[in-house]
């Protein structure tokens, strides 16, 4: 018999107790569907008897493999006294390990001091949270989480997203709410496949709503890394191409009535060879991934709905003003 949740038990638990219980539940059909998108090697397996505990253990092993530096890079990090966990976090702002290794020791120290200051602030705030401070949403989308006010009154939650890993996510992103983290990982994979013609497993160094040390605030889009360098990037929807900005390598697609993502502006940043056309169809090349005005080669994808932005929102703050990119192109039911 499939194991499930008991609301009566949930009400008496703190977050640690809840996570232990959740590990014993069988995966829901929605999460099974998401798992097979994120990890295609699971497609031919029956996951109906898998528990959340087994799935998350599997996904963490796979994600660690995907984000692990090359052996020679590991040796260089160790030789410079940099932990692999710290190097992994630095990917958020430098996008590849070689870019991190190219930094001086003083530059790395300055970055990590800022990172640990953020972690210390977070830890001190969590320390004062009462055991019974929790919340839950209907159906299987439970949220048992402390109201931890971090950085200028913004709330960030430490969450795990399959296919990406652990990070701090802004409350507005709703990543901390039950099933969302699984769905967001699958949506990001499918958006990646729509943009990168070579396909493969997506490699994201920042997701929507994560805390960015470089921006000292919420990250407004998804940072995708494709291989090889200079990868062609495809339009995700039909639309008209807006004003080009060579300083940021930026262009926006204004979606048309022919797409289900109506009235969206989808921004691509850090590109070269931007398409000269005024209109575009989904699947057409609109430019190449590059490192224009950024520390490492990657694509920043950002979206707005029913707004008239000419440029991406780039100010340093903790207001997540862009729209979620996850459910625009793909709907999970």
């Amino acid at each position: 018999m499939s194991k499930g949740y008991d609301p009566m038990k949930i009400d008496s638990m703190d977050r640690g107790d809840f996570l232990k219980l959740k590990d014993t539940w069988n995966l829901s059909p929605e999460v099974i569907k998401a798992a097979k998108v994120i990890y295609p090697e699971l497609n031919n397996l029956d996951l109906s008897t898998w528990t959340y505990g087994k799935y998350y253990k599997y996904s963490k092993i796979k994600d660690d493999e995907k984000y692990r530096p090359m052996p020679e890079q590991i040796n260089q990090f160790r030789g410079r006294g940099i932990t692999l966990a710290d190097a992994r976090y630095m990917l958020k702002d430098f996008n590849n390990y070689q870019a991190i290794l190219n930094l001086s020791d003083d530059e790395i120290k300055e970055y990590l001091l800022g990172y640990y200051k953020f972690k210390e602030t977070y830890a001190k705030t969590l320390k004062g949270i009462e055991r019974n401070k929790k919340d839950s949403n209907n159906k299987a989308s439970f949220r048992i989480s402390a109201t931890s006010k971090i950085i200028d009154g913004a709330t960030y939650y430490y969450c795990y997203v399959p296919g990406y890993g652990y990070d701090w996510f802004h409350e507005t992103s709703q990543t901390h709410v039950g099933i969302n983290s699984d769905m967001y990982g699958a949506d990001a994979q499918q958006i990646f496949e729509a943009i990168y013609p070579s396909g493969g497993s997506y490699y994201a160094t920042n997701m929507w709503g994560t805390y960015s040390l470089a921006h000292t605030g919420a990250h407004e889009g998804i940072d995708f890394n494709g291989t090889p360098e200079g990868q062609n990037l495809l339009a995700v929807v039909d639309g008209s191409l807006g004003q080009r900005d060579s300083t940021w390598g930026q262009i926006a697609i204004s979606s048309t009535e022919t797409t289900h993502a109506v009235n969206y502006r989808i921004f691509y940043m850090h590109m070269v060879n931007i398409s000269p056309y005024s209109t575009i169809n989904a699947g057409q090349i609109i430019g190449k991934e590059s490192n224009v005005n950024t520390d490492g080669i990657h694509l920043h994808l950002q979206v707005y709905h029913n707004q008239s932005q000419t440029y991406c929102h780039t100010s340093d703050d903790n207001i997540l003003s862009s729209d979620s990119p996850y459910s625009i192109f793909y709907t999970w039911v």
Side-chain angles (χ1 to χ4, degrees):
M1 179 179 292
S2 176
K3 298 177 182 177
Y5 60 85
D6 182 345
M8 296 299 291
K9 291 182 179 179
I10 294 297
D11 287 342
S12 64
M13 294 180 182
D14 66 8
R15 181 168 172 77
D17 291 337
F18 167 72
L19 292 177
K20 289 177 183 178
L21 175 64
K22 184 180 178 182
D23 278 350
T24 69
W25 297 349
N26 290 117
L27 297 180
S28 69
E30 294 89 351
V31 173
I32 290 174
K33 183 179 179 181
K36 293 188 176 185
V37 170
I38 303 171
Y39 308 107
E41 68 274 14
L42 297 178
N43 269 319
N44 296 323
L45 295 181
D46 178 8
L47 304 184
S48 62
T49 60
W50 277 38
T51 62
Y52 282 91
K54 181 175 181 178
Y55 172 50
Y56 290 141
K57 182 178 180 179
Y58 176 89
S59 65
K60 288 168 187 175
I61 290 172
K62 289 296 181 180
D63 295 348
D64 285 345
E65 291 175 355
K66 179 166 66 173
Y67 286 99
R68 190 172 179 80
M70 299 293 289
E72 59 270 24
Q73 292 174 326
I74 292 176
N75 290 335
Q76 290 181 65
F77 281 127
R78 287 175 175 166
R80 296 176 66 178
I82 304 168
T83 68
L84 296 186
D86 285 349
R88 169 71 179 87
Y89 191 83
M90 290 183 74
L91 281 178
K92 291 164 63 67
D93 293 312
F94 299 98
N95 302 294
N96 63 70
Y97 288 115
Q98 191 55 52
I100 299 171
L101 288 167
N102 290 341
L103 299 172
S104 68
D105 287 347
D106 285 342
E107 288 171 322
I108 291 175
K109 180 180 179 180
E110 181 181 4
Y111 182 95
L112 290 178
L113 283 174
Y115 169 45
Y116 278 100
K117 184 178 180 180
F118 171 74
K119 287 185 68 176
E120 181 182 16
T121 304
Y122 187 89
K124 285 181 177 178
T125 304
L126 289 182
K127 187 176 180 181
I129 292 170
E130 299 176 359
R131 176 183 173 86
N132 65 350
K133 211 167 190 178
K134 49 188 175 289
D135 184 23
S136 63
N137 293 319
N138 59 3
K139 299 182 179 178
S141 298
F142 285 102
R143 178 182 68 179
I144 298 184
S145 47
T147 306
S148 49
K149 298 297 182 182
I150 313 296
I151 312 297
D152 298 333
T155 304
Y156 288 88
Y157 294 100
Y158 195 57
C159 305
Y160 179 73
V161 175
Y164 172 72
Y166 285 101
D167 209 339
W168 281 277
F169 287 85
H170 196 285
E171 182 178 35
T172 301
S173 74
Q174 293 291 290
T175 306
H176 60 291
V177 177
I179 200 171
N180 287 353
S181 62
D182 298 283
M183 299 299 101
Y184 291 170
D187 284 348
Q189 169 67 38
Q190 293 190 85
I191 295 170
F192 175 90
E193 291 172 359
I195 294 173
Y196 289 87
S198 62
S201 180
Y202 81 96
Y203 188 92
T205 51
N206 249 340
M207 296 190 82
W208 182 65
T210 53
Y211 179 79
S212 170
L213 192 64
H215 289 277
T216 60
H219 188 253
E220 297 283 354
I222 304 179
D223 286 343
F224 286 119
N225 299 66
T227 54
E229 294 182 3
Q231 177 76 284
N232 285 328
L233 304 174
L234 307 183
V236 289
V237 292
D238 300 339
S240 58
L241 296 185
Q243 182 178 350
R244 293 143 177 83
D245 181 348
S246 59
T247 301
W248 287 96
Q250 175 178 290
I251 196 168
I253 303 176
S254 296
S255 59
T256 66
E257 297 296 328
T258 61
T259 174
H260 55 287
V262 180
N263 296 327
Y264 279 93
R265 289 175 63 82
I266 301 128
F267 289 86
Y268 291 67
M269 292 181 68
H270 313 309
M271 293 194 301
V272 293
N273 296 1
I274 295 174
S275 171
Y277 304 114
S278 59
T279 60
I280 203 84
N281 294 321
Q284 278 188 263
I285 296 173
I286 62 169
K288 289 182 180 291
E289 185 183 65
S290 79
N291 60 349
V292 173
N293 212 337
T294 187
D295 290 308
I297 294 174
H298 72 286
L299 166 71
H300 176 95
L301 184 82
Q302 186 167 322
V303 300
Y304 291 98
H305 187 217
N306 290 326
Q307 298 185 50
S308 59
Q309 274 85 355
T310 302
Y311 299 97
C312 284
H313 175 84
T314 56
S315 63
D316 299 342
D317 60 42
N318 287 285
I319 298 173
L320 195 53
S321 59
S322 58
D323 289 279
S324 171
Y326 302 120
S327 59
I328 294 172
F329 314 107
Y330 306 97
T331 302
W332 290 88
V333 293

